[in-house]
Amino acid sequence: MIFRQLFDSESSTYTYLLGDEATRQAVLIDPVLEQVDRDLQLVRELDLTLTHVLDTHVHADHVTASGVLRERTRCTVVGSVGGAACADLQVRHGDEVRIGQLVFQVLATPGHTDDSVSYLLGDRVFTGDALLVRGNGRTDFQNGDAARLHDSITRVLFHLPDATRVYPAHDYRGFTMTTIAEEKRHHPRLVGKSREEFIHIMENLHLPKPRKMDLAVPANRACGHTAPSPQDA
């Protein structure tokens, strides 16, 4: 398997490129609009064909590249039920997405947003904002729910094997990945805390809303296509 972890410094977003060495088919997970040219150049350099784009949820801090990538490569855009209606394929918990010989299992992990999913590939899981390195996504917009996020982490993700490698959609402190075992031992909002304590923490973060939220959310529901401004209409 071909695997690359890519980074957008403005939004601290990780994009993942995975390719099947036998068929040369490839997928990008959580691509960022401003990084389209970089990502497609890497696909070409590795002699891959982009066949799928997976979004873990409707992001609020950056605009997805899924729609532009579909236009430029004719790839299939995959989103979750309740997320972007523009996706070619809407998946739910228990579904599988096949890219060549790579088989991704869909895990519903709502809580950060109501449409959040994670994608499990063998001993790796791509968790979006549900589970970060020593952290997790906020729950105060897009029908976020702290109780549901607690259950998604503890009843779904923490039931994966301890050695499972966790690749999040974001990191703000320079970490690239973690494991299920590490987060079970060191997650500051979960270790030694009850479900009610976790909910209390999440409901009292008092964070400013993401800077690009008013642009990004409607754009991402349209696979990254923003509505024209009144003067352009």
Side-chain angles (χ1 to χ4, degrees):
M1 181 180 70
I2 297 165
F3 174 76
R4 297 289 187 275
Q5 183 180 42
L6 307 167
F7 188 65
D8 176 67
S9 59
E10 181 181 2
S11 61
S12 298
T13 298
Y14 284 124
T15 296
Y16 300 95
L17 172 65
L18 296 99
D20 174 34
E21 293 185 274
T23 65
R24 311 309 295 180
Q25 294 181 20
V27 58
L28 282 166
I29 301 176
D30 288 332
V32 176
L33 182 60
E34 289 81 2
Q35 303 294 346
V36 166
D37 291 337
R38 177 201 66 184
D39 296 351
L40 287 178
Q41 180 178 344
L42 181 59
V43 169
R44 290 190 297 268
E45 289 174 351
L46 296 177
D47 192 27
L48 297 170
T49 298
L50 185 69
T51 61
H52 291 76
V53 170
L54 309 182
D55 275 315
T56 54
H57 62 290
V58 172
H59 296 271
D61 52 8
H62 70 271
V63 176
T64 180
S66 60
V68 171
L69 289 167
R70 177 168 58 189
E71 291 172 355
R72 292 177 61 172
T73 69
R74 299 185 179 180
C75 65
T76 297
V77 173
V78 181
S80 62
V81 172
C86 58
D88 302 300
L89 176 63
Q90 293 190 320
V91 294
R92 62 181 75 240
H93 187 82
D95 288 347
E96 292 183 346
V97 181
R98 295 177 177 268
I99 292 93
Q101 297 177 3
L102 306 179
V103 182
F104 292 84
Q105 298 177 37
V106 180
L107 306 176
T109 49
H112 168 59
T113 64
D114 56 359
D115 66 309
S116 294
V117 295
S118 298
Y119 295 100
L120 177 66
L121 176 67
D123 64 352
R124 306 169 192 235
V125 62
F126 301 88
T127 54
D129 289 18
L131 181 61
L132 307 176
V133 181
R134 309 297 190 267
N136 53 267
R138 58 197 292 179
T139 58
D140 56 336
F141 53 73
Q142 290 176 256
N143 298 314
D145 187 311
R148 293 185 77 190
L149 181 56
H150 184 277
D151 294 345
S152 292
I153 296 172
T154 61
R155 300 180 186 180
V156 179
L157 296 173
F158 279 6
H159 277 218
L160 297 174
D162 281 353
T164 304
R165 288 175 277 180
V166 175
Y167 292 96
H170 297 285
D171 188 81
Y172 307 97
R173 295 175 294 171
F175 296 106
T176 57
M177 53 86 67
T178 182
T179 67
I180 293 297
E182 282 184 42
E183 296 310 309
K184 283 182 177 179
R185 290 196 303 266
H186 303 299
H187 195 293
R189 295 174 182 167
L190 291 168
V191 175
K193 295 181 175 63
S194 67
R195 187 171 185 262
E196 290 70 27
E197 288 172 313
F198 176 84
I199 293 169
H200 178 77
I201 291 170
M202 297 307 300
E203 290 180 347
N204 290 275
L205 294 178
H206 305 302
L207 298 172
K209 75 176 185 179
R211 182 172 57 85
K212 287 189 174 182
M213 180 175 177
D214 292 340
L215 167 70
V217 172
N220 290 335
R221 293 194 181 281
C223 292
H225 294 291
T226 58
S229 62
Q231 61 266 29
D232 296 333

